[in-house]
Amino acid sequence: MESRTIGNRTVSAIGLGGMPMSIEGRPERERSIDTIHAALDAGVTFIDTADAYHRDAGEVGHNESLIAEALASYGSDTSHVLVATKGGHLRPGDGSWTRDGRPEYLKQAAKASLARLGGDAIGLYQFHRPDPDVPYADSIGALKDLLDEGVIELAGISNASVDQIDEAHGILGGSLVSVQNQFSPRFLSSRPELEHAASLGLAFLPWSPLGGISNAAELASSHAAFAEVADAHGVSPYQVTLAWELSIASTVIPIPGASRPASITDSAKAADLQLTPDDIATIEASLVGS
């Protein structure tokens, strides 16, 4: 598979998002393990998770533990796989999402994530979502402390604005390596952040790159250009969508969520799909005004 970089790490151009395997509607554990193994079989070496990827109260870190189990049971060396997790977003267990960006909380959460994931340090730790009750600089300062303490190897931010990217970059400098924002044909409003991250040499990790769990099935019907290009290449519109995102900048690494082996196997093939300039022009023209 084509490779790209996150900081000093080389990873697959397509990653795996773990959230669907742990929240509402999640499959049985065995199928989730099979899905992660299928991703590894397909050459995926970047997996994204978060301590908040769980369904019920009392199971914080469900997805982190699931990924750790899958890597341990794979049967081959997985030391080259970069696992990214996040902290600062919480799920009380009633279906809601809350935030806690206090430095003391983030440090505690990171250490708990490390215990679940195993190893000497978290490969990539990301501040999940800004907390309006905590100065952004204070939350980012916690990442700096975690780097200094060796709890994490690389630092990233998620759901960040251009100004927040600059603020985090000013605090962390070269230690900031990634920005993870929502981006897809359905959600284009973070393109300024994508382009700004690229200008700084930061990896941009689109979450819900296919439009989200409840909307991905409608991708072809909602965005005919992707279906048209897919038909011309004899591939799925999902592959075309991911290949288009890869074409925007060499720093883009989509992380499609999956809970079935077939889904991530199909998505991984996008890294090898070569869209023509005409394909990209057709797609971009269809998105004008979206």
Side-chain angles (χ1 to χ4, degrees):
M1 184 188 292
E2 177 191 345
S3 63
R4 297 200 165 181
T5 59
I6 301 177
N8 61 0
R9 296 289 297 271
T10 298
V11 300
S12 54
I14 299 293
L16 169 66
M19 187 173 75
M21 293 180 272
S22 291
I23 63 168
E24 290 79 358
R26 67 193 185 194
E28 67 279 4
R29 200 171 188 88
E30 182 180 357
R31 196 178 88 190
S32 293
I33 297 291
D34 288 345
T35 299
I36 297 167
H37 287 176
L40 298 171
D41 288 343
V44 171
T45 60
F46 178 54
I47 302 175
D48 179 80
T49 183
D51 60 1
Y53 293 168
H54 64 90
R55 185 186 63 196
D56 305 321
E59 58 171 27
V60 173
H62 179 278
N63 196 245
E64 293 174 324
S65 298
L66 183 69
I67 288 167
E69 179 184 342
L71 291 174
S73 63
Y74 183 54
S76 298
D77 179 34
T78 58
S79 60
H80 59 295
V81 176
L82 176 62
V83 177
T85 192
K86 299 179 287 293
H89 218 4
L90 302 87
R91 301 200 78 194
D94 59 1
S96 67
W97 295 77
T98 60
R99 311 182 196 190
D100 193 339
R102 293 173 299 137
E104 59 270 29
Y105 172 76
L106 290 174
K107 294 177 187 179
Q108 169 192 332
K111 291 170 184 176
S113 290
L114 175 58
R116 287 186 289 267
L117 291 170
D120 298 325
I122 294 172
L124 171 60
Y125 193 70
Q126 305 158 97
F127 179 36
H128 202 155
R129 188 176 289 272
D131 182 345
D133 296 326
V134 179
Y136 196 66
D138 291 355
S139 300
I140 301 305
L143 298 186
K144 188 175 188 305
D145 290 343
L146 288 166
L147 285 163
D148 292 342
E149 294 171 21
V151 177
I152 68 176
E153 295 177 350
L154 300 170
I157 53 177
S158 184
N159 301 297
S161 67
V162 167
D163 287 344
Q164 288 166 338
I165 293 171
D166 283 339
E167 187 171 4
H169 191 256
I171 294 168
L172 296 173
S175 296
L176 177 68
V177 300
S178 64
V179 177
Q180 181 180 145
N181 281 16
Q182 184 176 9
F183 183 78
S184 70
R186 183 173 175 270
F187 191 93
L188 298 167
S189 60
S190 61
R191 190 150 185 170
E193 287 78 19
L194 184 161
E195 293 171 350
H196 191 59
S199 74
L200 296 173
L202 306 176
F204 185 85
L205 316 173
W207 62 266
S208 290
L210 300 175
I213 296 172
S214 59
N215 298 292
E218 302 171 5
L219 192 153
S221 59
S222 301
H223 304 280
F226 290 89
E228 176 187 334
V229 174
D231 287 344
H233 286 271
V235 299
S236 72
Y238 307 114
Q239 285 186 44
V240 171
T241 301
L242 297 172
W244 162 69
E245 291 169 3
L246 290 171
S247 77
I248 296 173
S250 62
T251 50
V252 173
I253 304 170
I255 46 174
S259 61
R260 297 177 182 275
S263 297
I264 189 57
T265 299
D266 182 73
S267 291
K269 294 176 183 176
D272 298 320
L273 176 60
Q274 296 297 317
L275 299 180
T276 69
D278 285 346
D279 291 335
I280 294 172
T282 296
I283 290 169
E284 292 284 350
S286 75
L287 298 173
V288 173
S290 297

